[in-house]
Amino acid sequence: IPIPSFDEDLLIDLCAEVQQIFSKENNLLHLNGDVTVVGDIHGSFHDLLRILNFVSKSESKVLFLGDIVDRGEFSLECITILFALKTVYPDRYYIVRGNHEFDSLCSKYGFKNEILCMKKSQSLILHHENTEDSDNDQIFDGYLEYHNFPYCYKYTEKLYNTFIRVFSYLPIAALVNKTTFCIHGGLSPKLSHVSDIDELIQRPINSFESNQLLSDLLWSDPSPKIIALYDQNPRGQGFLFNNESIANFLRNNSLTRIIRAHQCVNKGYQVINGGKCLTIFSSSSYDKLTNNSSS
């Protein structure tokens, strides 16, 4: 069944409305009650629908830990659905920012091309225009297969820039039931107390490199094997942080655990440091070599 598209002006209006909602939320969300936490989606439409079907059977709030877009074939559909849900149910659906919700990554890993490729015809020449970029080839192959191009609207850079503008207002982290710290990436040596997130980061933010604390929060990864509290991250951004740094952060903030996303883990989740840190990843078959599950 072809996936429908929507008029560009309608999507721009949706972005304007949801931006107002995000702009009124704090950098650090405070959520109470039952909360379902979701990891990276990365344009995986079927995983998003599976998750939404699951949460529809309960009254829990839903927290998405960023990286909704890029890499997968249906980033536009995924972000549109979540923005629509946020607009209609602002006190149930929450989204914090991932490292991919920036122009510097969206321009490279698929979201921008996915929007602009709607300007093309169904000639299938699209994915041959950049033959050296195998990642984009795969994105466009899947996109062309499932979209009914004769009935698709033609989108422009104005729509892409509008989404990027909304991303700049996304909250950064969440505190759930005063016990659980939820973030896309991880910890930072610049983060002593969770209140620092509200005090030291001012939105809108167009580049993660403009704020070192933000960059660390979105890019860092746990690494129990390192000796130092924090060490260089092979990603080139953020830090690796060990079990001791996790324990120190939790103790200093009277918290019990960290839930984060950012890394593809084979079973969809990974328990670290006796449950004090949990990695979740919600895009299945993201790694074609391991055919990973999702949570």
Side-chain angles (χ1 to χ4, degrees), residues 128-289:
H128 294 294
E129 293 180 346
N130 191 1
T131 54
E132 294 183 357
D133 193 335
S134 59
D135 287 341
N136 280 340
D137 282 351
Q138 294 176 4
I139 290 171
F140 294 142
D141 284 343
Y143 201 77
L144 289 169
E145 179 180 357
Y146 291 106
H147 287 69
N148 194 0
F149 268 70
Y151 303 102
C152 279
Y153 288 96
K154 296 180 179 179
Y155 299 138
T156 68
E157 287 202 40
K158 179 181 179 181
L159 178 61
Y160 170 73
N161 292 333
T162 301
F163 274 110
I164 294 298
R165 179 66 175 171
V166 179
F167 293 164
S168 71
Y169 283 91
L170 284 172
I172 309 303
L175 195 60
V176 177
N177 293 320
K178 299 180 181 180
T179 63
T180 303
F181 179 65
C182 298
I183 190 73
H184 177 73
L187 301 180
S188 167
K190 293 182 175 294
L191 182 67
S192 298
H193 195 274
V194 292
S195 61
D196 295 339
I197 297 173
D198 278 326
E199 296 171 2
L200 302 179
I201 300 175
Q202 184 176 358
R203 297 174 292 163
I205 301 171
N206 295 317
S207 170
F208 52 80
E209 295 176 335
S210 66
N211 187 295
Q212 186 60 56
L213 173 58
L214 175 66
S215 179
D216 293 349
L217 295 174
L218 301 188
W219 284 89
S220 293
D221 299 296
S223 182
K225 296 181 179 180
I226 65 172
I227 298 175
L229 292 177
Y230 295 92
D231 206 343
Q232 184 177 358
N233 194 330
R235 294 179 186 266
Q237 299 287 343
F239 288 88
L240 299 179
F241 54 97
N242 68 6
N243 287 347
E244 185 178 355
S245 62
I246 294 172
N248 291 343
F249 174 79
L250 293 177
R251 182 176 58 253
N252 293 340
N253 288 274
S254 299
L255 301 173
T256 59
R257 64 176 175 174
I258 299 167
I259 299 180
R260 42 92 62 181
H262 195 42
Q263 288 178 294
C264 179
V265 285
N266 193 40
K267 295 181 179 180
Y269 69 94
Q270 184 179 50
V271 178
I272 302 164
N273 196 10
K276 292 181 179 179
C277 183
L278 177 66
T279 295
I280 56 173
F281 197 82
S282 301
S283 177
S284 63
S285 301
Y286 174 85
D287 187 331
K288 305 304 181 184
L289 296 178

Side-chain angles (χ1 to χ4, degrees), residues 14-33:
L14 171 63
C15 286
E17 189 168 352
V18 79
Q19 179 177 308
Q20 288 297 315
I21 297 173
F22 289 136
S23 67
K24 294 176 182 178
E25 295 180 329
N26 292 330
N27 288 341
L28 179 66
L29 301 169
H30 292 263
L31 307 181
N32 295 305

